[in-house]
Structures are given as structure tokens and as C-alpha cells.
Amino acid sequence: MAISAQHAFSTPHLHEVADDRSIIWFDIDNTLYPASVKINELMGERIHAYFVAMGLEDDEARKMHMRYYSEYGLALRGLVRHHKIDALDFDRKVDGSLPLDRVLKPDPAVRRLLEDIDRSKTRVWALTNAYTNHAQRVLKILKLDDLIERVVYCDYTKPDFACKPEPEFYHDAMAQARVNDPSKCFFVDDNLKNVQAARRLGWGSSVYFQEDPQRSELVASGAQHPVELKNVEGVDATITSLHSLRKVWPQFFKAPMRDQL
């Protein structure tokens, strides 16, 4: 059954009972779509323009952007903390102005991957550092919004919102999912620090996704078996194709890779 956007992006009500199934957490940006479409670059250009519009010279804006990103996980958090900007105005001018409809397109193979997850064994949620508006836009364009049950996002309406890789953000995600046992959480993200943070908190499996577009296409088509890279320190597995999750987490898939393995 399709899940409405309102339900998919809402916070669980207190009367909801705990769910004993495991839960798979997908990062959204550069995970559910390839980094090679260069959304990050488009976003970086807009963030830089926002700093410059504050009256900073190019070099100063670049340095401050990088410093805030390194110190706070998101440049926006540094801007809110030190410059008291309107986070929702920032979101409109940065994420909200991205030409997602032109750059992104649905990938049937990624949709099949999510469809093949056995929902009797696990829930499928998303965990993103974006605001809800961006998350909804991306999932709708990718035609995955009906397969992601809920999204835990950065709440820009709160003055001191948390984000990955801060432990508080993961704890809040578990609280929203009503998960008490961190070993029931399975996580995949393209940011190494985010994956390592989840693993330190005892999440059941934390997978680092390093995109290799050529290999991903071959794996999705069945021309090549999924192959994991040598493990990176502080993570449970490293993959170059999202489709390798079938091999990393075989217990959650209904069947082998549709006769591709």
C-alpha cells in the first residue's frame, strides 16, 4: 500500500505500539541516487552564494563554509549559531532552489531493491541531514516515496537542531521509530563519519557506500556479482553498489537478486 507523504514524514504518535522488527535506515542524498549527478556541487554553489550575500569575500566565504561544515556537520548550523540566520530562508535559497526535476530521474533497479525487502522482517526508513521539504522532493522524483515508510530529518524549525553524525540525532531517530535495541538498526550512508557514528552506538550493521557508477550499473543489470571492498575501519561493510546490500543483508530480502546471483 502506498504511504501518504503526511504519514511518511510525520512523527509517530505516543499511542503507537513498539514494533519488534528490525529497521533499515537509508541515507537519501548521494545514496538513493548517484553522487555522479553532482547535486552536491550544485548545493555547494548555492551555499557559497548565501555566504557571499552576507557580505563576505569569496575566500572568506569559502573558508567559513568549510569551517562550519567541519565543526557542526552542516554549514547551516554554524550560520544559525553565529549569525542568527533564518534556517528556513536558507533552505528555500539552497535546497529549495536545486533543479532536482531536471537532474534526478527514477532508477528502476533501486526501486526493485526496495521492493524486494521483506517488510515482514524489517521496516524501511530514511535518515537524512536535509529538511523535510528536500527529502520529500527527492523521494517523489525518484518514485521511492511509497517505499520509504518514514523519514527522520533535520528539523530546521528548532534553533539548535541535531544532525548526523551527532549521537543525539541517532538517539532521536530510534525514539521516533520506538526502537530500544540499537542492534535492530541497519544503516547505509555515503558519509564515512555518519556510518562510524552509528557503529559506535551499537547499531546492528553500519554500511559505508562508496559509489562506483560503472560497477553499480553492472550489478543492477546482473552482468556482475556484487563485490564489497576491503572493509574500512569503523564500519561493518563497504560497498560500491547499493545493490550489494542484497549480499550484505541477505536476511532482509525476499529472494536472491532475481536470478542475478
Side-chain angles (χ1 to χ4, degrees):
M1 175 182 292
I3 301 169
S4 69
Q6 182 179 5
H7 179 257
F9 291 86
S10 63
T11 300
H13 297 294
L14 292 178
H15 67 264
E16 290 184 2
V17 297
D19 192 321
D20 289 334
R21 290 175 297 166
S22 297
I23 181 166
I24 293 176
W25 299 92
F26 282 95
D27 173 47
I28 294 178
D29 290 301
N30 299 325
T31 298
L32 291 179
Y33 63 80
S36 54
V37 301
K38 299 186 177 180
I39 293 290
N40 257 7
E41 285 83 344
L42 296 173
M43 193 178 297
E45 292 170 2
R46 285 159 172 76
I47 294 174
H48 180 74
Y50 196 95
F51 276 92
V52 171
M54 292 169 52
L56 301 176
E57 296 293 333
D58 271 351
D59 189 54
E60 185 182 6
R62 190 171 295 105
K63 289 178 180 177
M64 187 176 289
H65 177 186
M66 290 301 100
R67 178 161 62 86
Y68 286 171
Y69 177 78
S70 298
E71 290 181 11
Y72 301 112
L74 289 173
L76 171 58
R77 295 184 71 217
L79 287 170
V80 170
R81 179 167 298 188
H82 297 293
H83 306 273
K84 309 302 180 186
I85 70 156
D86 180 346
L88 295 181
D89 176 68
F90 176 94
D91 183 63
R92 284 190 294 270
K93 292 176 178 175
V94 178
D95 287 8
S97 70
L98 291 168
L100 300 181
D101 292 289
R102 175 171 58 82
V103 178
L104 296 179
K105 62 180 181 179
D107 183 342
V110 173
R111 182 171 178 84
R112 283 198 302 273
L113 178 79
L114 269 64
E115 286 176 335
D116 285 348
I117 294 174
D118 188 342
R119 304 302 173 111
S120 71
K121 297 178 179 177
T122 185
R123 290 176 282 166
V124 178
W125 286 34
L127 190 65
T128 178
N129 272 354
Y131 187 49
T132 179
N133 295 350
H134 177 75
Q136 290 187 57
R137 283 181 70 203
V138 171
L139 292 176
K140 185 175 182 179
I141 292 169
L142 296 178
K143 298 189 184 302
L144 300 175
D145 51 320
D146 60 322
L147 297 175
I148 298 292
E149 297 168 44
R150 287 199 174 144
V151 175
V152 175
Y153 56 87
C154 288
D155 189 352
Y156 293 176
T157 65
K158 296 181 179 179
D160 195 23
F161 64 87
C163 70
K164 296 178 288 188
E166 294 177 329
E168 179 185 350
F169 191 72
Y170 298 88
H171 290 316
D172 182 61
M174 290 180 59
Q176 289 193 45
R178 300 180 67 82
V179 176
N180 295 318
D181 182 359
S183 70
K184 289 181 175 290
C185 293
F186 293 74
F187 179 48
V188 58
D189 196 309
D190 68 298
N191 184 295
L192 180 57
K193 289 183 179 179
N194 295 346
V195 178
Q196 291 171 329
R199 191 170 188 263
R200 284 194 296 271
L201 292 173
W203 281 27
S205 177
S206 300
V207 176
Y208 177 38
F209 174 39
Q210 287 185 298
E211 181 199 357
D212 181 335
Q214 184 176 10
R215 175 173 288 175
S216 185
E217 185 176 342
L218 289 169
V219 171
S221 69
Q224 179 176 317
H225 287 196
V227 177
E228 283 68 63
L229 296 175
K230 183 177 181 181
N231 205 17
V232 175
E233 184 177 355
V235 306
D236 293 303
T238 303
I239 59 175
T240 57
S241 167
L242 202 60
H243 306 284
S244 296
L245 290 176
R246 294 178 185 270
K247 185 174 181 181
V248 177
W249 299 332
Q251 69 273 32
F252 295 131
F253 287 88
K254 299 173 186 174
M257 203 171 172
R258 298 195 176 189
D259 301 323
Q260 292 174 16
L261 292 181

